[in-house]
Every structure is written in structure tokens, then in C-alpha cells.
Amino acid sequence: MTDERRIRSIAIVGGGTAGWLAASILARAAPAGTAISVIESGQIAPIGVGEASIPPFIDLLRLLGIETHEFVRATGATYKLGILYRDWLAPGHEYWHPFGTFGATVGRRPFHHYWHHAVAADLNPRIAEFSLCAALAEAGKFRFPDPRAQGVAAGMRYALHFDATTVAGYLRQFAAGLGVQRYERTVATATRRADGFIDEIIFTDGGRLGADLYIDCSGFQGVLIEQVLNSGYVDWGAVLPCDRAVAAPTAMSAAPPPYTLASARSAGWQWRIPLQQRFGNGYVYCSSHLSDAAAIDDLLGKVGAPLSEPRVLRFTAGHRQRLWSHNCVALGLACGFLEPLESTSIQLVINGVFNLLDHFPDRDFDPANIGAYNRELIEEFEHIRDFLVLHYWATRRIDTPFWRDVQTVRLPQTLVQRIELYQGTGRIRARAGELFTDLSWFYVFAGLGLRPAAPDPLIDATARAGAQRLIQALQQNIAREVRGAPSHESYFAAGQPAAADLPGSAVPG
Ligand SMILES: Cc1cc2nc3c(=O)[nH]c(=O)nc-3n(C[C@H](O)[C@H](O)[C@H](O)COP(=O)(O)OP(=O)(O)OC[C@H]3O[C@@H](n4cnc5c(N)ncnc54)[C@H](O)[C@@H]3O)c2cc1C
């Protein structure tokens, strides 16, 4: 690439979480001298939900140079150690998808193979005996990972629960500090050059703005990627039929637990996300099985009086056919949507920006480069789709038509292969770069009662005997760490010392 062909200006349409995350990362990473602007409408509100993240969000804060404590204080965030799934396999049943390590590798074999032996031997092992994150979450406690520690604390990971609108506001200020220009305007449409590339965006007040690269973060409507470039949509409603959500915040009724609760309901599932000042609640449901009015009644019946009017949101699982088309890249809700069952949307925005940096164009916009970007991000969407579909397909609930239907969907071939490998051998083999590792898949397989037909042949009686001592040591270490850890709520109590100074805490990420 010659310097004359370099991208000189980037215009980001949309000032929700996606727009300000993109602006913040690009302002740090794009070549010096690139002018970055964000256009946000004063008339069209951001979606304002999106309250749970996954651990790479902490890595992003570090990369941006944002101090985690400062971010938590300024945004009213709480810490998250994983997700507790309630009533999915059957009413009354619970399972964990915690963050961090699980057990320890013994003789190069992942610990979940020893777990299968323990289950087969009727030892009734519990995930929380081998996962510090699950154990702390169950106890309502929290501590930071300690990279200097030798034991289980070294393998801890955590994420945050936060208010998406507050986070967008925080990042707006942060990006402004890095020189990002903000315009409060509403985009009406855009003009295109003879080759189809976007020339200028046109505001409703008649003003215009031109840039070399456009990033569409305008939410579900996709003002540029769909309304101007007609990208098309790949609809996954056949395998992920939930298409609505009703969201209703409630007052703090209890200490905030350090985890997201995802409870299966008659036509979908309900989230409870603790923030410092309130609970975020919502019911994700399938409109052909439940009306909006019934979903609202159902949710309020569970969570009590809301702090604001319940909001119904409509969506279709899937993604734009082309996430990057011509000189426009779509991110966030403008590029696709997967229900928040594993809190992946905001991470998909972050991965999209990193992928854009890995394929950063010049003004020739090499089609092979654009094709590579699209393939990589679509693979990521498909990987997450498969993971979400597993949560529904593997349940054994048959108490409502919704639960009977989701167990009969035609599974994507990529998921069939993963299930067959696991059911045969207990192996998973997530590919490098996939968002969910073998361990995440294991938690859902095991949580929903899927068992491999044959144990790992490399784990014989000698290996099991060797592992036994380690297993006891692990259980003791985890119990000791949990005893010494502060309660989660103590991190937010007024007048408390900074979290890093609390007993049992190590350096935050
Ligand atoms: C029910 C639900 C629950 C969710 N829960 C989670 C979760 O737990 N975790 C997670 O990671 N994600 C979650 N998400 C996804 C998350 O909310 C979004 O991925 C994230 O907030 C990014 O949204 P966005 O910025 O793409 O869109 P929005 O927040 O909708 O922002 C769009 C922006 O574009 C601007 N805009 C729109 N049209 C125009 C125009 N014509 N001109 C100028 N500006 C315009 C708006 O003013 C706004 O600033 C959830 C989503 C839903 C629907």
C-alpha cells in the first residue's frame, strides 16, 4: 500500500455501544492522522440494553488503557464470574457456565475427561468443586485473578455487568479525549459513486459528510449497510426461533450476585443481571408461542414492579449477507443479532473492530481483503449460533410446545459434528480463535446431561489414581480461596477501601 492510498477519514454512524467502542479502539489503533468522526442522532435512541459481557472485555479495557476500577465506579458495573442456567434441562435443575480454568491438566489430558470418569464411577462431582469462579459465584463472593499465584487463583477470569447506555456515554468521553469528532445529526441516506461505493452521507437537515471508510453502527435498521447498500440478511429463525424480548429494570431487592442468571421459561428464557443500583431483567421469547402482553405479564409476575415501562424489542437471529460491503463495514446490531444467552453481542463488536484492523484497507478496497473479513466474521457468527442452538436442542423439557419444537430443529452440520464427536469420545476440539473453548462447550454438554459413550482411552487406572491426589488438593484449594474472598457486594459499599486493598484480592485486570 502506498501512503497516497491510505484511509484518511472514517465516519461512524451511530453512538450506541457499538459506535463508541469502534471509535475508541480505532482512535487508539488506526494510523496516526486518520480523522475519525461519530454521528449520533438526537432523535433515535440507542437500544439501551446489553448488560452482560464476557472476559475479553476486561482485556479490551486494558488495551485501551482504561483502569478497571475506574470503569466499574463510573459505570455502576458489577463483576461477573459466569452464568447460572436454571430450569433448562428440566424444572428445578441448574448448571454453571463459569469463566476461568476447570480442574487442572493431568498428563496432557484436559480435566473434563477425569470428570467423565468420576461421573461414571457415581462420585457425583460438582462443577463448583473444580472451578473457582463457580465456587465464588455460589458463595456470592468475588476476588481478582492473581497471575502471581501458583494455585487455582491464577486461572480465574471475570467479566462485567453494566448499563449499555452508561458505557456508551463513558466511551464517548474517552474517545473525545483521543480526538474523535462527534456530530449530533440524523442520517437520511447516502449518495453513491458510479462504482457503488458510498460517496457522502446526507443528514436530515440537508448537510453532508464524506469519508473514505464508513462504519455502520446505526442499530437494527442498518442505515447504510441495508438501506443504502442492500446487503441482505441471512435469517437463522429456523434454528433460533426466539424473536422478541421484553426488558424491565427493577430496584435492588438483594445483594448483587456475581453472575448472570438465565432461567428457562415457557416460551424462551429470562435474564437477571445485577448492576450496582438495579437489576436488569428481560424475557427472550418466541412470538409464535407467546404474545407480547403475556410475556410482559409473565416477566412482571416474576420480577415485581419495574422502575420504568417494560420495553418490547423485536429481532431476527442472523447476520447481514455482507458485513463489509464496498467502503462500509457494519458492526453491532446493524450487522446481525444473536440472542444474549451467552452475552456475545458486545464481544462481536469488539472482534469485528479487531478483524477490521487485521484487514485494514487502503482506498483501493481490495475485494479479496473484504472477502476474507466477511468469511472470518461470518464463521464467528456461525460458531456462536451453534453454541446457542445446543442450549435449546439438548434440553429434555417437553412441558410446552416451545420446548418440544426447539428439540426438533434441523441442526447445522457443524453442530452435528461437534455433538457426535462429544457423544462418542468426550472430545470437543474447538478451533483456534473460536470464542468458545472446549471448556465452554463441555459445561453446556455436561450441564444438559450429555455423556460420552466411551471414556478417553488414555486415562487408565494408573492415570486416575495419580489424578486422585490432585483432585483432593484442588477441592481444598478452592474451598480455601472461597473462605478468604470478600463478598461481592463489599466491592460497592460506600466508604469501602479500593477493591485491590481488600483481603484476598489481587490485582484487577
Ligand atoms: C434484548 C437484548 C438484550 C441484549 N443483551 C446483551 C447482553 O447481555 N450482552 C451483550 O453483549 N449484548 C447484548 N445485547 C446486544 C447489545 O445491546 C448491542 O449489541 C449493543 O448495545 C450495541 O448496540 P448498537 O450500538 O449496535 O445499537 P444501538 O444501541 O441501537 O445504537 C444505535 C445508534 O445509532 C444511532 N442511529 C440510528 N439511526 C441513525 C440515523 N439515521 N442517523 C444517525 N444516527 C442513527 C442511534 O442514535 C444510536 O446512537 C442485547 C440486545 C438485545 C436486543
Side-chain angles (χ1 to χ4, degrees):
M1 187 197 354
T2 61
D3 216 33
E4 302 84 69
R5 301 302 300 151
R6 76 176 186 88
I7 296 287
R8 299 154 304 184
S9 54
I10 304 175
I12 300 170
V13 177
T17 329
W20 287 111
L21 271 171
S24 302
I25 301 171
L26 289 171
R28 274 263 188 258
T34 314
I36 301 174
S37 48
V38 173
I39 301 116
E40 56 180 330
S41 170
Q43 272 106 51
I44 306 167
I47 195 131
V49 281
E51 300 177 311
S53 62
I54 52 178
F57 190 83
I58 302 296
D59 304 332
L60 174 75
L61 291 180
R62 195 177 299 131
L63 185 109
L64 291 175
I66 295 174
E67 211 272 317
T68 312
H69 286 325
E70 152 62 12
F71 184 85
V72 166
R73 191 197 51 72
T75 61
T78 65
Y79 299 106
K80 173 180 170 186
L81 293 167
I83 304 176
L84 178 63
Y85 290 90
R86 181 172 287 166
D87 301 335
W88 283 78
L89 181 60
H93 179 267
E94 290 184 347
Y95 73 93
W96 281 105
H97 176 187
F99 303 138
T101 48
F102 177 62
T105 308
V106 189
R108 281 195 73 249
R109 309 312 301 145
F111 191 73
H112 58 80
H113 289 297
Y114 292 91
W115 165 274
H116 293 311
H117 276 286
V119 171
D122 284 331
L123 296 176
N124 296 321
R126 296 184 64 249
I127 293 287
E129 288 174 312
F130 305 106
S131 155
L132 179 56
C133 287
L136 286 167
E138 276 190 356
K141 293 187 164 189
F142 180 76
R143 55 157 298 159
F144 290 104
D146 186 351
R148 294 159 308 196
Q150 293 291 312
V152 287
M156 267 205 60
R157 296 274 276 156
Y158 70 102
L160 301 176
H161 299 118
F162 48 65
D163 176 296
T165 310
T166 316
V167 166
Y170 180 95
L171 292 173
R172 179 191 294 132
Q173 271 192 7
F174 176 79
L178 298 177
V180 172
Q181 179 79 39
R182 172 180 179 267
Y183 299 97
E184 193 173 317
R185 299 273 166 77
T186 301
V187 174
T189 185
T191 54
R192 296 176 73 177
R193 302 186 324 221
D195 58 5
F197 279 60
I198 293 179
D199 190 17
E200 287 182 318
I201 46 183
I202 303 178
F203 302 121
T204 47
D205 63 9
R208 289 166 174 254
L209 183 85
D212 294 331
L213 174 65
Y214 295 89
I215 304 198
D216 187 347
C217 296
S218 64
F220 282 128
Q221 63 270 47
V223 169
L224 300 179
I225 196 78
E226 194 55 51
Q227 293 177 7
V228 174
L229 295 170
N230 307 309
S231 167
Y233 199 75
V234 176
D235 181 337
W236 284 336
V239 287
L240 288 170
C242 286
D243 57 356
R244 304 265 167 100
V246 52
T250 51
M252 293 305 297
S253 50
Y259 59 88
T260 301
L261 177 63
S263 308
R265 305 298 313 281
S266 67
W269 61 278
Q270 181 186 328
W271 78 76
R272 185 192 67 182
I273 293 178
L275 307 181
Q276 285 185 35
Q277 306 299 335
R278 64 172 174 86
F279 277 109
N281 310 285
Y283 186 174
V284 174
Y285 57 98
C286 176
S287 62
S288 53
H289 287 284
L290 194 70
S291 69
D292 295 346
I296 294 172
D297 279 357
D298 215 343
L299 179 66
L300 298 189
K302 288 279 179 202
V303 302
L307 292 172
S308 56
E309 265 314 288
R311 271 201 315 145
V312 174
L313 304 148
R314 293 159 188 236
F315 52 81
T316 305
H319 62 83
R320 300 272 175 227
Q321 213 121 33
R322 290 182 304 277
L323 315 171
W324 178 344
S325 172
H326 300 83
N327 55 344
C328 174
V329 178
L331 293 171
L333 301 175
C335 93
F337 186 69
L338 289 166
E339 60 186 80
L341 186 53
E342 284 282 355
S343 322
T344 43
S345 291
I346 289 170
Q347 193 56 44
L348 269 170
V349 175
I350 297 166
N351 291 1
V353 186
F354 286 148
N355 201 9
L356 172 60
L357 289 169
D358 288 344
H359 296 87
F360 203 74
D362 61 16
R363 278 180 283 142
D364 292 331
F365 287 96
D366 179 0
N369 183 53
I370 296 176
Y373 173 95
N374 280 326
R375 270 195 307 282
E376 283 176 33
L377 217 63
I378 288 171
E379 264 177 29
E380 185 146 19
F381 263 92
E382 289 171 345
H383 167 69
I384 297 170
R385 172 204 62 196
D386 287 2
F387 193 48
L388 299 185
V389 172
L390 176 67
H391 291 63
Y392 289 102
W393 173 83
T395 170
R396 290 187 210 140
R397 285 185 71 135
I398 48 165
D399 50 317
T400 66
F402 171 80
W403 288 105
R404 289 196 289 276
D405 281 2
V406 292
Q407 290 168 61
T408 60
V409 301
R410 190 145 177 267
L411 296 181
Q413 202 45 36
T414 39
L415 178 56
V416 171
Q417 286 164 0
R418 228 182 266 265
I419 292 171
E420 284 177 353
L421 180 65
Y422 180 81
Q423 286 187 317
T425 66
R427 295 182 183 128
I428 297 160
R429 319 295 298 166
R431 278 184 306 179
E434 286 183 341
L435 192 56
F436 293 105
T437 60
D438 282 13
L439 201 44
S440 289
W441 285 88
F442 159 74
Y443 286 130
V444 179
F445 279 132
L448 290 170
L450 271 74
R451 305 267 173 263
D456 185 337
L458 290 179
I459 299 180
D460 57 10
T462 320
R464 286 202 298 281
Q468 199 51 43
R469 279 189 305 279
L470 180 76
I471 286 173
Q472 277 163 7
L474 272 168
Q475 287 169 322
Q476 284 163 9
N477 278 346
I478 286 179
R480 195 182 52 240
E481 290 294 343
V482 172
R483 272 196 306 276
S487 75
H488 181 233
E489 68 178 322
S490 66
Y491 289 81
F492 316 113
Q496 284 296 308
D501 302 331
L502 290 166
S505 301
V507 247

